[in-house]
Amino acid sequence: MSETKITPNMQSFVDKFVDFSARLANQVHLRSLRDAFAAVMPIFILAGLAVLINNVIFPWVLEGETLARFKVWGEAVINGTLNIAALLIAPMTAWSLARNKNFANPVSAVVIALSSFIIMMPMQLEVVPVGAKATVSVTQMLAFTNIGSTGIFAGVIIGLLSTELFIRVAGVKRFSISLGENVPAAVGQSFSSLIPAIITLSLFAIVAALLANLLHTDLIHLITTLIQQPLRQINTSLPGTLFIYSFGNFLFTLGIHQTVVNGVILEPLLLINTNENMLAFANGQPIPHIINNIFVPTFGMIGGTGSTISLLIAIFLFAKQQSAKQVARLAISPGLFNINEPVIFGLPIVFNLPLMIPFVLLPALGIWFAWLCTTLGWMSRCVVMIPWTTPPILSAWLATAGDWRAVVVQLIIIVFGVFFYLPFLKIAERVALKNNGIQ
C-alpha cells in the first residue's frame, strides 16, 4: 500500500513541522527526562507486581497472621520503589542530563542532585504518632510523602537545576583543582569537582534557608503545590489527556515517535497518579484516579500506538491488497506485544492520510469509552503497573487486579476499532490503486 500524495505547499508545511518536532525531540532536557523515566520504569513495574501479588494472589491462598507475614514481602518492595520514587528520579535525571551534555564526570552530578534534593527537604515535619490524635513536630526525618510519588516533579526540577548549575560552575577553570597525572583518576575527578560541588550545594542550602526563615516553607512543598498539582489537574484530566495523547499520536503519523510529547508532558504526571493508585490499593483505601499511565495504554494503545491490533484484524478480514496482508502477517506477532513499527512504517501509516485519521482518533475514543465505563462503575480502576509489552486482554485483566469486566471493555474497543478502521482502510486501498495507475 503506497503513501498518500502530498502537494508542494502541504509538503513545505509538513517539512517545517517535522523539523520543529525533530528539534524538540532532541532537546537535551526533554531527552534526559525520557531517559531518566525509562531507567526507573522497571522499578515501578516491580512495584506493580508486588501490589498484585500482595493484594490479589496472596489473599487467594492465605489468611490471618500467615497472610500478614507474607505481605511483608510486598510492603518491603513498595517501600523500596513507590515510596522513594522521587529519590530515584532526581539522581537519574541528573545522570541522564550530564551524560547527554557529555559532562566528563556524570557520577558526580548524581551525587550533587541527590544531596541537593535532600537539602531542599523540610527541616521539621508534623506527624501523628500511632494511636495519638494530635500532631507532633519531629526533626531529622525524611517522609515518604516527600521522597515518594508526591515529590516526583520536585525531584525532576531539582535534578535538572542542580546538574545545570554544577556543570556550568565546573566549566570555570579557576574552580578546578588539578592534582597532576600521578593520582588515581577517581581521586583526580573528585578534587576537580570539589569547589563546584561546594558552590552548588551551598546555593541550594541558601535557598532552603531563605524559604524556611522568610516563607516558612520548603521547595518541595512549593513545587508540589504551585506547579505539580495544577499541571496534574489539567494534563491528567480527560480533555487534557485526550488532547496531549492524540497530539503525540499525530506526531507518530509524521514519523516522529509519540514519546516526544507523551513521554515528557503526560507520562510523568500520569505516573504520579499510578503510584498513588497502587499505594491506595495496597493499603485497602479508595482508588483516587481513573486516568493514569496504566489506564491510557491499556485502553488507548491496544496492539501499539494507534491501537493498530484492530487495523491488523481488519486487514486479515477485509483487505484485498496482497501487499497489505503480507505486512499484516509480518506485523501481527510483534503487534500482540504492542510493538507496531512494522505496520506504522511498512503499510505505511506514516504520511498516509486515510489511515492517519483513525490512528489518531481511535485511541482517544478507546480512552473515553473506558473512562465512561469506569465512571459508571462498570469496571475497576487500574491499580497494577504492568509492562507495556503485555498482550491485549491479559493487560486489561492484570491492570485492574483481575477484573474480567475490564477485559470485556477492551474487547469492545478492539471490535469497534476494526469497523472504525475499515472505511479508512478501503479509502487507502483506492488511493494506492489510483497512485499505481489502476483506475
Side-chain angles (χ1 to χ4, degrees), residues 151-204:
I152 283 181
F153 209 74
V156 166
I157 293 178
I158 292 173
L160 292 175
L161 289 177
S162 64
T163 304
E164 277 288 352
L165 179 59
F166 178 65
I167 291 176
R168 289 178 182 273
V169 176
V172 180
K173 291 185 178 181
R174 70 172 68 97
F175 293 150
S176 178
I177 299 176
S178 178
L179 298 181
E181 299 179 357
N182 296 324
V183 298
V187 176
Q189 289 179 343
S190 176
F191 272 86
S192 177
S193 302
L194 178 60
I195 295 179
I198 292 174
I199 293 175
T200 302
L201 296 180
S202 296
L203 289 175
F204 272 92

Side-chain angles (χ1 to χ4, degrees), residues 44 107 110 131 145 270 344 405 420:
F44 297 134
V107 174
V110 171
T145 52
L270 291 177
I344 289 175
R405 298 173 300 174
F420 188 72

Side-chain angles (χ1 to χ4, degrees), residues 84-107:
I84 59 166
L87 203 61
L88 295 173
I89 201 64
M92 286 312 305
T93 300
W95 165 267
S96 300
L97 180 58
R99 185 185 57 183
N100 288 332
K101 285 202 162 192
N102 299 315
F103 185 59
N105 188 14
V107 174

Side-chain angles (χ1 to χ4, degrees), residues 23 28 56 84 99 108 119 122 144 146 156 165 189 195 216 221 224 268 276-277 281 286 304 308 361 397 413 434:
R23 288 195 299 271
V28 66
V56 178
I84 59 166
R99 185 185 57 183
S108 60
I119 285 173
F144 281 147
N146 289 324
V156 166
L165 179 59
Q189 289 179 343
I195 295 179
H216 306 290
H221 178 74
T224 301
E276 291 182 356
N277 276 16
F281 184 66
T308 51
L361 293 181
W397 187 80
I413 295 171
K434 185 174 182 179

Side-chain angles (χ1 to χ4, degrees), residues 206-397:
I206 290 172
V207 173
L210 290 174
L211 290 176
N213 288 299
L214 298 181
L215 300 179
H216 306 290
T217 186
D218 58 90
L219 188 61
I220 309 296
H221 178 74
L222 286 179
I223 292 175
T224 301
T225 55
L226 298 182
I227 301 178
Q228 178 175 298
Q229 294 303 334
L231 279 178
R232 282 177 66 193
Q233 290 178 0
I234 297 173
N235 289 20
T236 66
S237 65
L238 181 64
T241 298
L242 293 181
F243 174 78
I244 296 170
Y245 194 68
S246 298
F247 182 67
N249 290 347
F250 170 69
L251 286 183
F252 217 162
T253 66
L254 303 179
I256 302 165
H257 205 282
Q258 47 89 10
T259 54
V260 171
V261 171
N262 296 333
V264 176
I265 300 176
L266 189 59
E267 288 184 6
L269 298 172
L270 291 177
L271 181 61
I272 298 172
N273 287 5
T274 298
N275 290 351
E276 291 182 356
N277 276 16
M278 289 197 290
L279 286 173
F281 184 66
N283 295 321
Q285 299 170 349
I287 310 303
H289 307 291
I290 293 178
I291 297 177
N292 53 52
N293 75 332
I294 315 167
F295 175 88
V296 169
T298 300
F299 300 101
M301 198 182 79
I302 309 173
T305 306
S307 294
T308 51
I309 195 71
S310 296
L311 174 59
L312 295 179
I313 296 172
I315 291 174
F316 285 128
L317 294 178
F318 302 109
K320 296 181 179 179
Q321 281 190 310
Q322 290 303 314
S323 59
K325 289 189 175 184
Q326 181 63 32
V327 171
R329 283 192 288 269
L330 295 173
I332 187 62
S333 294
L336 291 175
F337 298 93
N338 302 320
I339 301 169
N340 63 345
E341 277 76 7
V343 68
I344 289 175
F345 296 100
L347 195 58
I349 294 174
V350 173
F351 291 115
N352 190 342
L353 184 59
L355 293 180
M356 289 166 64
I357 297 172
F359 184 88
V360 174
L361 293 181
L362 178 59
L365 293 173
I367 292 170
W368 173 82
F369 179 69
W371 174 87
L372 179 64
C373 291
T374 308
T375 301
L376 295 175
W378 294 349
M379 60 175 266
S380 301
R381 301 190 179 197
C382 293
V383 292
V384 177
M385 187 76 169
I386 57 176
W388 65 271
T389 52
T390 305
I393 309 306
L394 181 61
S395 62
W397 187 80

